[in-house]
Amino acid sequence: MHTETTRLIEIEWKGPYLLSEIAQIKDSEIDYGLYQIYGRHPVYGSNVLLYIGKADRQTIGKRVSQEAWDDTNDSSSIKIYVGRLIGSNTPEEIVWSEEIDLAERMLINVHKPAYNSKSIARLPDAELQNVHILNWGDHCSLLPEVSGFRWTSKLYDVEYDYYRYK
């Protein structure tokens, strides 16, 4: 039996946007959140999830423009999906920042985009065990629901009696 509190993070995704359109998103001073980059990969093919990133304490448009996606071999095929945390109220900035960070790490761990290889190797398993993410809207290749119960070692620490479930 699990008694810890689950941290529910809901994300509303919109897109796709082209690189040229992302520059227009820079204007909002509090446009923080997550983003997915899709494009061509030499091994995995066209229109595949390449990268998941976060914009925390800077706008999504500004963060994406810092990464030089326009300097790739096929920048015209780059598509970007923007994710913003949603809920019944806006949390304090420190909580907002924590949730953006947890969501980014969980989504990278589960979906393993090709250009996030460093982040995949550094999964903070214990921090993500009670995180539950709901992806709404245009979440593209992301799973609609992701849980730390499923994607961390949380349940491996519990001894299960196989026959109890028959």
Side-chain angles (χ1 to χ4, degrees):
M1 184 166 142
H2 304 282
T3 58
E4 300 92 357
T5 302
T6 299
R7 189 167 195 169
L8 179 64
I9 301 172
E10 295 185 77
I11 306 168
E12 177 74 33
W13 292 95
K14 294 190 179 184
Y17 298 98
L18 300 175
L19 278 172
S20 58
E21 295 171 317
I22 285 297
Q24 299 167 4
I25 295 177
K26 287 184 194 182
D27 297 333
S28 174
E29 292 180 19
I30 57 165
D31 193 17
Y32 308 152
L34 301 154
Y35 56 93
Q36 309 171 54
I37 305 284
Y38 288 80
R40 193 169 85 62
H41 187 277
V43 175
Y44 304 124
S46 298
N47 198 29
V48 296
L49 178 61
L50 298 173
Y51 187 80
I52 295 173
K54 68 178 178 181
D56 183 18
R57 301 178 194 216
Q58 65 178 324
T59 65
I60 293 169
K62 184 174 182 181
R63 180 68 188 119
V64 170
S65 67
Q66 294 169 349
E67 295 179 339
W69 288 101
D70 56 343
D71 194 26
T72 64
N73 63 346
D74 193 12
S75 62
S76 64
S77 73
I78 297 288
K79 294 179 185 163
I80 303 164
Y81 289 80
V82 173
R84 295 175 182 93
L85 276 58
I86 59 172
S88 56
N89 56 15
T90 302
E92 293 180 28
E93 193 165 338
I94 192 159
V95 174
W96 196 3
S97 181
E98 287 172 5
E99 290 187 351
I100 289 171
D101 185 59
L102 289 169
E104 180 202 34
R105 290 191 277 164
M106 177 71 85
L107 293 173
I108 289 170
N109 176 56
V110 171
H111 298 92
K112 299 181 180 16
Y115 295 150
N116 284 110
S117 59
K118 287 183 192 175
S119 300
I120 293 168
R122 298 186 312 239
L123 175 68
D125 188 84
E127 293 176 40
L128 298 175
Q129 289 183 355
N130 295 316
V131 173
H132 195 96
I133 297 172
L134 298 176
N135 290 306
W136 300 103
D138 302 325
H139 55 82
C140 203
S141 294
L142 299 185
L143 294 171
E145 190 167 355
V146 177
S147 173
F149 283 97
R150 168 66 174 89
W151 295 99
T152 67
S153 65
K154 174 87 173 174
L155 296 180
Y156 299 123
D157 295 340
V158 178
E159 300 251 346
Y160 284 103
D161 180 358
Y162 174 74
Y163 299 102
R164 176 173 57 172
Y165 296 107
K166 286 191 168 190

